[in-house]
Amino acid sequence: MPLSMLGLGLAGLGYASVVERNWFRLRRFDVPVLERGQRPVRILHLSDLHLTPRRTMLINWVRSLGELKPDLVVNTGDSIAHPQAVPSLLHALEPLLSRPGLFVYGSNDLYAPQPKNPVRYLWRTSKNERRQHVPTLPWEELGAGMAAEGWLDMNNTTARIKVGDLDVAVAGIHDSHISRDRYDLVAGPAPADADLRLGVMHSPEPRNMTRFAADGYQLLLAGHTHGGQLCIPFYGALVTNCGIDRARVKGLNRHDSAWLHVSAGLGTSPYAPARFACFPEASLLTLVPRR
């Protein structure tokens, strides 16, 4: 390999693993999902922190989001990547834990990351590839820490929550990527008397999104994809690591009758610590009346 190409490759790797991986961004979207006359509310969507205790830049950036004072915080999973990460995560979330909140788990909240080829997902999905059968990360401590501050555990369950002036009906499912989703436990028409009907999941699998939309949920939130993580400028993601198409790997889109927001997330696996043309992100969704 010519030295110039080697140098270019090393420079690209350094940029992806040091610069872009820590270049956190807040994306903002208006979602026209409310009835006329209803006051806008703001949802902060966090996902895929994959937090390890020493990720100080990420911890401090998440803490700064408390200044937004959102009406609701939704965490769509893969929050930790280390057995000692729960205190660090709760420290990162501390300015937000006084706000109403919801969470579901991702596979990486249960199973510790394992060494692997960091670009293997470009040619194969990681669905159900784990050989571990017993969780190796403190997912119960993780959930208990968020629940103790009033955030609702939405894994395969439903709830009602007050968000601003809105009465919100929520249904959530566990991670389909490890076959822990149980949509049948939340299935059925969403409450028609709710001001907003919200569906929450980790992995945006179309079969579940279709059921959420058919049951009347108006806004669906998911993560998992990392936005493709290693993307090509002006082309986008090469893969999604789940059943959703590349065009909807991140951002605000539609799925049947529902709005869908997929977060590109804030972190990476410790064994694949790079992002390229896919900045780490959180999203602030402002729900506004339909025109």
Side-chain angles (χ1 to χ4, degrees), residues 60-136:
N60 289 339
W61 192 83
V62 172
R63 287 184 62 84
S64 75
L65 297 175
E67 298 175 3
L68 297 171
K69 294 182 169 54
D71 299 293
L72 176 68
V73 184
V74 177
N75 176 3
T76 49
D78 276 5
S79 296
I80 58 174
H82 189 280
Q84 279 81 53
V86 171
S88 298
L89 178 75
L90 295 178
H91 176 66
L93 295 177
E94 185 268 334
L96 295 164
L97 289 172
S98 62
R99 319 299 299 181
L102 313 168
F103 66 92
V104 292
Y105 297 124
S107 61
N108 289 282
D109 294 319
L110 282 73
Y111 301 107
Q114 298 176 325
K116 67 180 74 172
N117 183 335
V119 296
R120 182 172 62 172
Y121 74 94
L122 293 177
W123 64 81
R124 59 173 291 185
T125 177
S126 60
K127 181 174 175 61
N128 290 325
E129 72 175 9
R130 298 177 182 275
R131 297 177 182 176
Q132 305 168 30
H133 299 289
V134 178
T136 53

Side-chain angles (χ1 to χ4, degrees), residues 25-27 44-46 61 65 263 265-266 280-284:
R25 294 186 171 185
L26 179 69
R27 302 185 75 194
L44 178 63
H45 183 186
L46 305 175
W61 192 83
L65 297 175
S263 173
L266 282 164
E281 67 180 39
S283 295
L284 188 66

Side-chain angles (χ1 to χ4, degrees), residues 8 12-13 21 28 30 57 72 123 144 181 187 210 232 236 250-251 260 263 274 290:
L8 186 62
L13 179 61
R21 177 174 174 247
R28 298 173 184 264
D30 287 347
M57 292 178 66
L72 176 68
W123 64 81
D181 55 320
T210 295
I232 297 177
K250 65 179 179 179
L260 167 69
S263 173
R290 296 187 291 269

Side-chain angles (χ1 to χ4, degrees), residues 104-225:
V104 292
Y105 297 124
S107 61
N108 289 282
D109 294 319
L110 282 73
Y111 301 107
Q114 298 176 325
K116 67 180 74 172
N117 183 335
V119 296
R120 182 172 62 172
Y121 74 94
L122 293 177
W123 64 81
R124 59 173 291 185
T125 177
S126 60
K127 181 174 175 61
N128 290 325
E129 72 175 9
R130 298 177 182 275
R131 297 177 182 176
Q132 305 168 30
H133 299 289
V134 178
T136 53
L137 288 178
W139 63 273
E140 292 175 305
E141 179 187 352
L142 168 66
M146 291 185 285
E149 300 297 330
W151 284 19
L152 300 183
D153 180 341
M154 295 307 306
N155 290 284
N156 297 325
T157 192
T158 60
R160 298 286 280 261
I161 186 172
K162 189 74 171 178
V163 179
D165 294 333
L166 302 182
D167 172 28
V168 180
V170 188
I173 53 174
H174 207 306
D175 190 6
S176 59
H177 206 61
I178 50 173
S179 301
R180 287 183 176 242
D181 55 320
R182 302 289 184 269
Y183 192 88
D184 286 346
L185 296 178
V186 304
D193 61 339
D195 296 315
L196 174 70
R197 295 171 289 281
L198 177 66
V200 182
M201 69 205 88
H202 176 65
S203 181
E205 287 295 342
R207 59 180 173 80
N208 284 324
M209 298 189 301
T210 295
R211 296 189 72 180
F212 273 118
D215 280 342
Y217 290 93
Q218 302 157 287
L219 175 60
L220 312 180
L221 302 183
H224 174 71
T225 65

